[in-house]
């Protein structure tokens, strides 16, 4: 197969650097914030748990759940972009709304905002967390119910039910299970895994549909088409 890519002009490459400039600006600002911390706080920010005397597997299930949420949200934003390019506005809204909620879950899982801001160590704080998840999930489902029905709803149901179980046990604690932490982190990890699988497969389905509709070219089809010959002119 003939390679059809050509070198990107320098002016175009400079334009493509804008996202990198924005991202690095935010990253440098964060580095300066870290540098302004007192030495003990800075060490806590910079050092890996294993270097602070904790085993390397400290927080393993929680960290893997964060990876699952991030993969899910990334796939969701990508699917939303592809759907938007393919003029599938409803599918794009479904994917982007879901990606935003999932990204919120990723940050909450990573930084434990619900415990810091909502005081989730108390029954009232944990109840508020559960209600928040239910409200956000319900809004997403109600607004996008037609599009969600086109997806792999069994995987989506598994993701939502396991997350609901995690939040419920976190609320009621040892009244339901003996090892609350293991059950909560375990079901959260299962939920994040199912979310990632659902978003990735949904994005694949949307991309395949957009390509087959002819809105986006299929590279395999391009390879079968003969290249036009500019030197040939019609006779006569």
């Amino acid at each position: 197969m003939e390679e059809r890519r050509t070198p990107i002009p320098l002016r175009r490459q400079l334009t493509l650097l804008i996202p990198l400039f924005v991202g690095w600006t935010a990253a440098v600002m964060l580095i300066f914030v870290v540098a302004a911390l007192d030495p003990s706080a800075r060490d806590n920010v910079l050092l890996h748990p294993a270097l602070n005397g904790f085993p390397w597997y400290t927080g393993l299930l929680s960290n893997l759940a964060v990876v699952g949420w991030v993969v899910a949200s990334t796939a969701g934003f990508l699917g939303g972009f592809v759907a938007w390019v393919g003029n599938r506005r409803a599918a794009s809204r479904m994917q982007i709304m879901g990606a935003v909620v999932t990204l919120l879950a990723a940050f909450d899982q990573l930084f434990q905002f619900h415990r810091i801001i909502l005081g989730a160590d108390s029954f009232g704080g944990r109840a508020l967390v559960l209600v928040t998840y239910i409200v956000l999930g319900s809004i997403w489902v109600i607004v996008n119910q037609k599009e969600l029905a086109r997806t792999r709803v069994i995987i989506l149901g598994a993701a939502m039910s396991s997350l609901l179980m995690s939040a419920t046990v976190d609320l009621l604690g040892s009244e339901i299970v003996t090892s609350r932490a293991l059950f909560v982190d375990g079901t959260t990890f299962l939920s994040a895994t199912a979310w990632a699988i659902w978003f990735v497969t949904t994005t694949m389905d949307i991309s395949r549909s957009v390509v087959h509709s002819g809105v986006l070219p299929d590279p395999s089809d391009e390879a079968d088409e003969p290249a036009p010959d500019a030197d040939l002119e019609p006779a006569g």
Side-chain angles (χ1 to χ4, degrees):
M1 182 182 297
E2 182 182 356
E3 179 60 74
R4 299 189 178 186
R5 293 179 300 170
T6 58
I8 302 176
L10 180 59
R11 182 186 297 272
R12 175 61 176 162
Q13 291 197 45
L14 293 177
T15 303
L16 296 175
L17 286 176
I18 294 177
L20 177 64
F21 175 77
V22 174
W24 273 13
T25 299
V28 168
M29 293 175 61
L30 178 60
I31 292 173
F32 276 114
V33 170
V34 173
L37 298 174
D38 62 84
S40 61
R42 191 185 312 133
D43 289 342
N44 290 333
V45 172
L46 298 176
L47 293 181
H48 190 277
L51 302 180
N52 280 338
F54 295 98
W56 64 268
Y57 50 81
T58 301
L60 178 62
L61 281 182
S62 179
N63 292 336
L64 290 176
V66 172
V67 173
W69 296 126
V70 171
V71 170
S73 61
T74 302
F77 283 120
L78 177 60
F81 171 75
V82 172
W84 182 268
V85 172
N87 200 28
R88 312 289 177 85
R89 296 294 187 260
S92 177
R93 180 190 62 213
M94 173 193 72
Q95 288 288 87
I96 292 177
M97 284 183 63
V100 170
V101 174
T102 305
L103 190 61
L104 176 63
F107 278 104
D108 182 49
Q109 182 74 22
L110 180 61
F111 299 111
Q112 296 291 298
F113 287 139
H114 64 277
R115 297 190 180 277
I116 298 173
I117 300 176
L118 302 178
D121 285 332
S122 65
F123 180 85
R126 293 196 298 268
L128 184 57
V129 172
L130 178 59
V131 171
T132 300
Y133 277 122
I134 292 176
V135 169
L136 291 177
S138 299
I139 292 174
W140 181 57
V141 170
I142 292 172
V143 172
N144 304 284
Q145 54 183 316
K146 291 184 179 180
E147 287 299 317
L148 289 172
R150 305 172 190 265
T151 68
R152 307 173 194 227
V153 292
I154 296 179
I155 298 178
L156 179 61
M160 299 183 72
S161 60
S162 54
L163 182 60
L164 182 61
M165 281 193 298
S166 175
T168 302
V169 172
D170 192 32
L171 172 64
L172 300 179
S174 57
E175 297 179 9
I176 295 182
V177 296
T178 304
S179 181
R180 186 182 82 179
L182 176 61
F183 189 92
V184 170
D185 284 356
T187 50
T188 300
F189 175 52
L190 291 176
S191 177
T193 302
W195 275 110
I197 293 172
W198 183 85
F199 269 107
V200 170
T201 54
T202 301
T203 296
M204 291 173 59
D205 293 340
I206 291 174
S207 301
R208 190 180 300 111
S209 175
V210 170
V211 169
H212 287 174
S213 68
V215 177
L216 294 179
D218 189 338
S220 61
D221 294 339
E222 292 181 0
D224 298 333
E225 296 179 359
D229 192 346
D231 296 333
L232 296 180
E233 297 181 359

